[in-house]
Amino acid sequence: MLFRNMNKFQAAVAQLTSTEDVEANLRASGQAIAEARERGAQVVLLPENFAFMGSEATRAQIAESVGGGGRIHEFLRASAKQHQIAIVAGGMPEQSDDARRPYNASVVYGSDGSILAHYRKVHLFDVDLPDGTTLCESASTKPGSSPVVCQLGEVRLGVSICYDLRFPELYRLLVGQGATVLAVTAAFTLHTGRDHWEVLLRARAIESQCWVLAAAQWGRHSPTRTTYGRSMIVDPWGTVVAQASDGNGVVVADVDLEHQARIRSALPCLLHRRL
């Protein structure tokens, strides 16, 4: 692992506009991974739905088993090895025992291409928004049931996807399992993102005293789907240290674990919990 035994490393979050074209999406993801490594990042996050964002019927058809040799997983494994970078691959369709309802899975690859962990999205987005957007994720996605924290060198990484961000109890569990960095991969709607995306990310950072790495989809994906973007990296004090503007791109920032240790020492609220 490239950042083993280091108190500071560089992390990147990618912002994409994925569509139904899997091959085009993988090319865009590959370009983002390459750029992240060229700019010095040792880990890069791809947003939720990075490989496919389209009809639920097609999504079920392209679902793969984790580590099963499918084109999405082979692309990620090869990219991690080629660029010597860890990849947190945001939500992608993973086969379940219900052919019509794959999991929404985030898979973590080491810089050698090995699978370090995979997380199945627990909280599913079923809403009717005032702007007319209607989404029922549970109709086409099977929920996961377990929080996931994995080891990236000396870093304990807690993994989450999009709607999970609204459930602080999940992040308490991740911190309880030793997480020091939280990964959030998302495709926030334009309506909710404008008011809640940054606020929720900063809240999770402050209450968990963790670095938060958040990679998001951006722009218009189809006539009926638009996402907010503004991928960002937030420090354990809740300060946004790097943020993407509108458009596709990669944001890179230093993740300073000594800075985090000083915050946790000066304000030891994680030690003061009573409930």
Side-chain angles (χ1 to χ4, degrees), residues 20-53:
E20 290 190 335
D21 188 336
V22 175
E23 296 306 322
N25 295 335
L26 295 184
R27 285 195 299 272
S29 297
Q31 291 168 359
I33 293 167
E35 179 181 345
R37 190 69 191 103
E38 288 169 4
R39 294 174 59 187
Q42 291 129 304
V43 59
V44 58
L45 273 68
L46 300 177
E48 183 183 28
N49 302 329
F50 69 92
F52 178 82
M53 199 159 179

Side-chain angles (χ1 to χ4, degrees), residues 53-92:
M53 199 159 179
S55 74
E56 299 303 340
T58 304
R59 176 176 170 274
Q61 292 171 5
I62 67 169
E64 300 177 358
S65 61
V66 171
R71 60 178 168 169
I72 298 172
H73 288 284
E74 285 304 309
F75 158 78
L76 293 166
R77 182 179 290 111
S79 296
K81 291 178 67 175
Q82 176 185 350
H83 298 288
Q84 288 290 288
I85 190 170
I87 299 173
V88 181
M92 71 181 92

Side-chain angles (χ1 to χ4, degrees), residues 13-183:
V13 293
Q15 186 160 288
L16 304 174
T17 308
S18 300
T19 65
E20 290 190 335
D21 188 336
V22 175
E23 296 306 322
N25 295 335
L26 295 184
R27 285 195 299 272
S29 297
Q31 291 168 359
I33 293 167
E35 179 181 345
R37 190 69 191 103
E38 288 169 4
R39 294 174 59 187
Q42 291 129 304
V43 59
V44 58
L45 273 68
L46 300 177
E48 183 183 28
N49 302 329
F50 69 92
F52 178 82
M53 199 159 179
S55 74
E56 299 303 340
T58 304
R59 176 176 170 274
Q61 292 171 5
I62 67 169
E64 300 177 358
S65 61
V66 171
R71 60 178 168 169
I72 298 172
H73 288 284
E74 285 304 309
F75 158 78
L76 293 166
R77 182 179 290 111
S79 296
K81 291 178 67 175
Q82 176 185 350
H83 298 288
Q84 288 290 288
I85 190 170
I87 299 173
V88 181
M92 71 181 92
E94 179 201 352
Q95 292 173 350
S96 74
D97 57 6
D98 184 341
R100 295 175 299 177
R101 298 172 70 225
Y103 295 109
N104 187 347
S106 181
V107 185
V108 182
Y109 290 82
S111 57
D112 61 354
S114 62
I115 293 177
L116 302 180
H118 90 277
Y119 164 72
R120 294 165 173 166
K121 185 177 181 182
V122 171
H123 302 100
L124 302 183
F125 193 53
D126 292 352
V127 297
D128 294 300
L129 296 174
D131 67 354
T133 301
T134 297
L135 294 168
C136 185
E137 191 174 16
S138 64
S140 57
T141 302
K142 189 168 183 177
S145 59
S146 301
V148 170
V149 175
C150 72
Q151 198 77 31
L152 281 177
E154 298 302 314
V155 175
R156 294 283 289 169
L157 181 76
V159 187
S160 62
I161 302 174
C162 203
Y163 193 46
D164 285 332
L165 188 58
R166 294 184 180 276
F167 300 88
E169 61 271 22
L170 171 63
Y171 296 89
R172 277 290 189 230
L173 290 172
L174 295 175
V175 171
Q177 294 181 19
T180 53
V181 178
L182 302 173

